[in-house]
Amino acid sequence: GVAMAKSKFEYVRDFEADDTCLAHCWVVVRLDGRNFHRFAEKHNFAKPNDSRALHLMTKCAQTVMQELEDIVIAYGQSDEYSFVFKRKTNWFKRRASKFMTHVASQFASSYVFYWRDYFEEQPLLYPPGFDGRVVVYPSNQTLKDYLSWRQADCHINNLYNTVFWALVQQSGLTPAQAQERLQGTLAADKNEILFSEFNINYNDEPLMYRKGTVLIWQKVGEVTTKEVKLPAEMEGKKMAVIRTRTKPVPLYCDIIGDAFWKEHPEILH
Ligand code: ATP
Ligand code: ATP
Ligand code: MG
Ligand code: MG
Ligand code: MG
Ligand code: MG
């Protein structure tokens, strides 16, 4: 193209901070819904887990992975999603603000765009927002520990919330009473309350609630219709064609142990 004439104002560009992410490190962007405690109440989320909301979050994360470059894995739970960019990405010259703002804005606009597909007759009452942060991890081990930390958080919160809402919804305790009842209890105590008082085996609860959602790229066969070119007598007819495409596919599995990483060595290669 034509070289742009520089104005005398051009120097103000030098006031921009350099926020390049350290070379060869994993770049993680984590988003979290702003004040979703209130958002969940206002939009009548089921407690403790609204599966519509979780599936909508995952749809938004799939959109982010498809629209942006170089995301190799994402992990979501509750109102948060983490996106991992490949170690050697050079997207936007590795500028943290570009990663974070593109992820957050694409995710937030998708949340509004796809709302109706998941919530049907529940209207969206106000525009939701998401905060974002960037963290850079220098090794495969620290990245795996980061993802393990988020999944452990999912487990701890979900176990607590499952007992808490059973006490409120099934035993008629007030939220304050349920909270008091759970004060100081360990995981084993919570499992025991669920089993003895509510006949719930925590391990039978849905995997999506207990483990969160992992998104990785996988080949999937897709059926599409294609107009037939030849032979002439079939012109204009449509045929079903199976194409293999690579898509962000949701998995509901443990990522803390080694098994997941052994099964999918291409993620960290
Ligand atoms: P902040 O702005 O600081 O993030 P927050 O209210 O969003 O405040 P979080 O710690 O992010 O606080 O917690 C998110 C809250 O959103 C949960 O505690 C829960 O009340 C609600 N929530 C999010 N997703 C769901 C869901 N799928 N089903 C039910 N409730 C949900
Ligand atoms: P990038 O992702 O790098 O920002 P871009 O295509 O958005 O790429 P910009 O330099 O931001 O590039 O330029 C925005 C472009 O959008 C303009 O060049 C113009 O073509 C178009 N555009 C934006 N606003 C308007 C508008 N109000 N009317 C007509 N065209 C517009
Ligand atoms: Mg928070
Ligand atoms: Mg939040
Ligand atoms: Mg949160
Ligand atoms: Mg632009």
Side-chain angles (χ1 to χ4, degrees), residues 2-239:
V2 188
M4 291 278 250
K6 292 202 174 184
S7 74
K8 66 170 178 173
F9 306 118
E10 196 76 11
Y11 79 96
V12 297
R13 188 189 279 283
D14 297 338
F15 284 61
E16 285 186 21
D18 178 4
D19 60 351
T20 308
C21 294
L22 187 63
H24 296 197
C25 292
W26 298 104
V27 179
V28 174
V29 176
R30 183 168 77 255
L31 301 183
D32 185 283
R34 177 171 175 256
N35 204 355
F36 260 47
H37 185 80
R38 171 171 182 267
F39 186 88
E41 264 176 23
K42 295 281 182 202
H43 294 86
N44 301 306
F45 280 21
K47 288 294 178 179
N49 288 291
D50 190 300
S51 68
R52 299 168 301 178
L54 295 171
H55 283 119
L56 173 57
M57 291 287 290
T58 292
K59 175 68 181 177
C60 298
Q62 288 170 309
T63 307
V64 166
M65 287 175 77
Q66 282 170 322
E67 295 294 327
L68 310 189
E69 309 274 312
D70 292 347
I71 297 168
V72 292
I73 184 171
Y75 173 75
Q77 51 123 339
S78 183
D79 67 338
E80 68 169 64
Y81 243 99
S82 298
F83 299 87
V84 181
F85 289 83
K86 70 178 185 199
R87 260 154 48 82
K88 298 205 174 164
T89 184
N90 200 32
W91 196 50
F92 285 106
K93 303 228 166 72
R94 299 178 70 87
R95 288 169 65 185
S97 56
K98 293 284 189 180
F99 286 114
M100 186 167 57
T101 56
H102 274 302
V103 171
S105 66
Q106 198 72 49
F107 193 97
S109 69
S110 300
Y111 199 93
V112 173
F113 190 78
Y114 292 115
W115 172 267
R116 244 193 130 250
D117 295 350
Y118 294 84
F119 278 88
E120 296 173 353
E121 71 282 4
Q122 168 65 55
L124 180 60
L125 301 174
Y126 59 88
F130 294 84
D131 73 51
R133 72 191 75 192
V134 173
V135 189
V136 157
Y137 290 102
S139 64
N140 289 1
Q141 192 57 53
T142 49
L143 176 71
K144 286 193 269 186
D145 287 348
Y146 168 79
L147 293 166
S148 297
W149 173 52
R150 297 326 303 149
Q151 188 165 63
D153 183 81
C154 175
H155 165 73
I156 292 163
N157 290 334
N158 190 60
L159 178 58
Y160 182 94
N161 291 338
T162 304
V163 195
F164 177 91
W165 287 102
L167 290 167
V168 170
Q169 290 165 347
Q170 297 183 51
S171 297
L173 269 62
T174 64
Q177 288 170 329
Q179 194 187 344
E180 200 183 336
R181 175 79 199 279
L182 292 174
Q183 200 104 66
T185 56
L186 306 174
D189 305 320
K190 294 186 186 77
N191 275 300
E192 183 54 28
I193 296 172
L194 279 176
F195 194 71
S196 60
E197 292 183 35
F198 304 103
N199 200 27
I200 294 171
N201 187 339
Y202 183 72
N203 290 324
D204 295 337
E205 290 291 293
L207 271 171
M208 183 171 68
Y209 301 166
R210 290 187 291 122
K211 301 293 181 193
T213 304
V214 182
L215 287 172
I216 57 172
W217 292 97
Q218 289 196 327
K219 282 204 179 89
V220 285
E222 221 180 42
V223 182
T224 51
T225 55
K226 209 180 173 185
E227 207 143 303
V228 177
K229 284 272 150 67
L230 286 166
E233 64 269 18
M234 284 177 74
E235 196 109 40
K237 295 245 168 76
K238 299 214 166 161
M239 264 184 74

